[in-house]
Amino acid sequence: MYLRSFRQGLLLAAGGNSGNPLYDFFMGRELNPRWGAFDWKEFCELRPGLIGWMILNMAMMLKQHERLGYVTGSMILINIFQGLYVWDALYQERAILTTMDITSDGFGFMLVFGDLAWVPFTYSLQARFLVDHDPHLHWSMLAAIVVVNILGFLIFRGANGQKDAFRRDPNSPEVSHLSFLQTKRGTKLLTSGWWGLARKINYTGDWIMGLSWCMVCGFESIVPYYYAIYFAILLVHRSIRDDHMCQEKYGEDWDKYKSIVPYRFIPGLF
């Protein structure tokens, strides 16, 4: 795909067109490589890695049953939590078309490796951990973790659903009451609802869900908490990248927007 990206007339990603071959190979030169109507980036973002992740999780559950003779509550929850997450991503497929991965990042080694290897083989870490380490969590603790997961999902889905609905039809009854900042570019930036709370409130919900995945593994080892730590770093970095791109895109309007919605992740704190 890197070699193909040098063909004339292709849409290139700004971040992967630096002129440095190694950097451009890593970041990806072409924005959305297609073979006919088949979009390679969208397919890899959703299909192989996410479905492979679920297959690995179910294999871990079968392995635990083989070793213990039963399946633990923690293993059941991790399969439900992450299964819901993957189902939601696939069901809400059209929402991915407005994400940074699709609109800004080229399809290079970073995304290919991330989609096909990193996601299935690292996001299944909690299930792999539970094969050998049953934390013996009391039902009340498991119930509390379910509440944490539901909280994260409500924030994540509520914010993303609201943004997607507004982008499709800002006059729709479900979003017409929301206030927004009209930019000089002609686009509208939401300043109320979920998006009036924080500029990346969807990331907050996403991270809370990820934390609940780690919590089902107990609290005696930091290993399953790798995801929460890694994901926090990833989301902060992505938010900085997004802030920089929006500053270039909107200019003074972005400064005004940030004065209206000053918090990045957590209302009143950060």
Side-chain angles (χ1 to χ4, degrees), residues 203-216:
Y203 286 6
T204 304
D206 206 350
W207 186 83
I208 291 173
M209 281 192 290
L211 177 63
S212 74
W213 305 347
C214 304
M215 293 171 69
V216 298

Side-chain angles (χ1 to χ4, degrees), residues 82-120:
Q82 295 182 342
L84 174 64
Y85 187 83
V86 169
W87 171 83
D88 179 73
L90 296 175
Y91 183 75
Q92 303 288 345
E93 180 176 359
R94 67 181 177 184
I96 198 177
L97 299 177
T98 58
T99 63
M100 182 185 294
D101 285 356
I102 297 295
T103 62
S104 304
D105 292 339
F107 193 52
F109 180 83
M110 179 180 73
L111 281 184
V112 172
F113 178 81
D115 292 342
L116 304 183
W118 186 267
V119 168

